[in-house]
């Protein structure tokens, strides 16, 4: 049924649960997975040019370290389940765009991702990358939503 599943991750425990779900689906369908982490781009306004370059380098190192940790989790989980896996990191201030574009570019036929389950004012103010992916993706999206006990 599915041949290539995209697994966006932000390193949260909700995201990790969605990764487990996506990898198990891939194992059952004989599909491959691609883990993706969409990292923010560097933005700083400063009149001190020396501080800006040091900040940029430190920011890049921090982003790469986080992405590696998140994507290593996807690789290790897939390896344990004997599921073919690739990973990638995209830089984007709009993670939903990076996720949707990657799904199209890589010819994924399913996106499996988490929802943090924020409701009310928190959901409205913080927004939801999952909602944005649902609105813009050209492929089906399976949303793993945390139960009340897990939040």
């Amino acid at each position: 049924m599915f041949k290539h599943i995209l697994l966006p991750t932000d390193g949260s425990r909700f995201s990790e649960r969605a990764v487990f779900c996506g990898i198990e689906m891939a194992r059952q369908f004989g599909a491959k997975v691609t883990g993706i982490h969409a990292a923010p781009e560097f933005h700083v306004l400063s009149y001190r040019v020396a501080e800006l370059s040091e900040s940029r380098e430190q920011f890049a190192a921090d982003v790469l370290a986080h992405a590696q940790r998140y994507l290593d989790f996807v690789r290790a989980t897939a390896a344990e389940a004997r599921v073919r896996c690739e990973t990638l990191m995209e830089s984007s201030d709009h993670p939903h765009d990076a996720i949707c574009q990657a799904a199209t570019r890589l010819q994924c036929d399913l996106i499996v991702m988490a929802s943090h389950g924020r409701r009310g004012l928190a959901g409205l103010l913080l927004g939801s990358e999952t909602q944005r992916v649902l609105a813009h993706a050209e492929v089906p999206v399976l949303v793993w939503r945390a139960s009340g006990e897990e939040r």
Side-chain angles (χ1 to χ4, degrees):
M1 181 171 208
F2 298 109
K3 295 180 180 159
H4 191 180
I5 301 173
L6 187 67
L7 303 174
T9 182
D10 63 5
S12 69
R13 70 179 197 268
F14 302 114
S15 184
E16 288 180 353
R17 295 292 303 265
V19 166
F20 279 121
C21 175
I23 289 173
E24 178 57 23
M25 287 182 66
R27 188 186 66 74
Q28 290 180 10
F29 289 119
K32 68 178 180 178
V33 298
T34 298
I36 181 174
H37 174 68
E41 295 177 345
F42 180 78
H43 297 283
V44 172
L45 296 175
S46 176
Y47 63 92
R48 297 179 186 172
V49 177
E51 286 181 13
L52 184 60
S53 67
E54 288 176 15
S55 297
R56 180 181 297 276
E57 291 169 6
Q58 185 59 51
F59 179 82
D62 291 345
V63 164
L64 186 58
H66 283 102
Q68 285 294 349
R69 188 169 64 239
Y70 305 156
L71 296 173
D72 283 349
F73 174 80
V74 175
R75 280 190 288 271
T77 305
E80 188 175 313
R82 294 193 170 116
V83 170
R84 290 177 297 145
C85 176
E86 295 177 3
T87 60
L88 67 122
M89 182 187 89
E90 299 281 335
S91 292
S92 176
D93 285 331
H94 305 286
H96 70 280
D97 282 338
I99 293 165
C100 292
Q101 289 172 15
T104 300
R105 183 177 71 248
L106 299 171
Q107 299 179 322
C108 297
D109 46 18
L110 179 66
I111 300 170
V112 175
M113 64 188 301
S115 170
H116 291 259
R118 293 183 190 102
R119 293 177 180 242
L121 190 57
L124 182 65
L125 293 176
L126 296 174
S128 169
E129 289 305 317
T130 303
Q131 287 291 351
R132 291 180 185 109
V133 170
L134 284 166
H136 295 96
E138 296 178 4
V139 299
V141 180
L142 182 124
V143 178
W144 183 88
R145 187 166 172 263
S147 68
E149 296 121 29
E150 294 173 304
R151 281 187 229 143

